[in-house]
Amino acid sequence: MWDIGRTVADLGALVLPVNCAGCRDRRPGLRQGVCPECVAALDGLRPGPVRPTPAPDGLPPCVALGPYAGPLREVLLAYKDHGRHGLARPLGALLAEVVAVSVGAVRPVLLVPVPDTPAAARARYGDHLGRLARHCADRLRRSGWPVEVRPALRALPRPDSVTLDSAGRAAAATAAFRARRRWRPTASDAALVVLDDIVTTGSTIAAVSRVLTATGRAPAVAAVLAATQKRHRW
């Protein structure tokens, strides 16, 4: 069985800043990125299947580490929006746990991260999913998985999904991605896994899946760190 305790231990190995990324508590002498209580909360999460209601056309099976709430939500926000890039390694390792559960037995895997738009990458000082994918792949390889990260898609400019309702998300996602010219799907037994950080309506992952399917390789599953609770069945 996958050792998730080893994964979340990475969260306690981070040094500075002194406020916990999970609960934002400033404790005197705290030298960890995430406090022991939040590490314990993350340690208790187990990946499971999720499905938005209604699910958009083309959405592959989705597996999430947990609901977008509590310490998981706060750590993701700290990483994405507050410059805590040191969290990429433990979050990537947590994502590896999701991939391992979603794929099952050890086998070759192609990881395709959902790409940031150029504007989002500039605002976050780099492609945040790309960083997570690299750390995810490293952890899987150390556990004996043959893994390759394939940046198969490019993202076109689109509105920030935070400002959109479900219909707006679907419309924006439909025209949001293109396959890269160098992406050539190969016939193999590798499981193609789409990576994302959060699934809400499923529109983004469904759009990615449709583009990949049109190139000849349909994703086997999508692995995400968190799923919003309102629209998902657990």
Side-chain angles (χ1 to χ4, degrees):
M1 182 175 289
W2 189 272
D3 184 4
I4 196 169
R6 180 182 64 182
T7 294
V8 297
D10 286 342
L11 290 164
L14 298 170
V15 178
L16 297 179
V18 295
N19 59 306
C20 170
C23 64
R24 303 187 183 183
D25 190 9
R26 276 189 178 270
R27 301 184 185 184
L30 179 65
R31 292 180 55 81
Q32 300 167 327
V34 181
C35 73
E37 289 81 3
C38 289
V39 168
L42 292 167
D43 193 14
L45 297 174
R46 292 296 181 270
V50 295
R51 197 76 180 169
T53 305
D57 293 340
L59 184 70
C62 296
V63 177
L65 177 65
Y68 186 55
L72 180 58
R73 176 182 183 274
E74 295 304 319
V75 170
L76 275 169
L77 286 173
Y79 168 62
K80 288 178 61 176
D81 298 331
H82 302 300
R84 300 283 290 269
H85 293 166
L87 292 165
R89 179 181 176 185
L91 284 174
L94 289 170
L95 191 55
E97 158 73 2
V98 182
V99 172
V101 169
S102 65
V103 174
V106 175
R107 58 181 291 195
V109 173
L110 293 178
L111 301 177
V112 176
V114 173
D116 271 340
T117 63
R122 288 193 296 271
R124 293 167 178 157
Y125 299 98
D127 185 338
H128 77 288
L129 250 301
R131 281 194 299 264
L132 292 183
R134 290 190 293 273
H135 287 292
C136 173
D138 287 344
R139 177 56 62 91
L140 287 168
R141 291 187 190 109
R142 290 201 297 272
S143 298
W145 290 68
V147 179
E148 184 180 355
V149 178
R150 297 290 298 276
L153 307 177
R154 61 186 181 92
L156 305 179
R158 63 184 186 275
D160 190 331
S161 61
V162 173
T163 67
L164 303 175
D165 59 14
S166 58
R169 285 172 183 263
T174 297
F177 303 101
R178 294 288 185 274
R180 292 184 179 274
R181 291 182 179 179
R182 289 176 292 178
W183 163 250
R184 292 291 183 272
T186 57
S188 76
D189 62 347
L192 195 158
V193 180
V194 174
L195 300 183
D196 207 352
D197 52 358
I198 304 163
V199 58
T200 301
T201 65
S203 295
T204 296
I205 293 174
V208 166
S209 179
R210 289 193 295 268
V211 172
L212 292 172
T213 300
T215 71
R217 284 298 305 272
V221 68
V224 304
L225 285 168
T228 55
Q229 293 174 284
K230 183 177 180 180
R231 292 179 174 273
H232 290 78
R233 300 192 300 269
W234 287 87

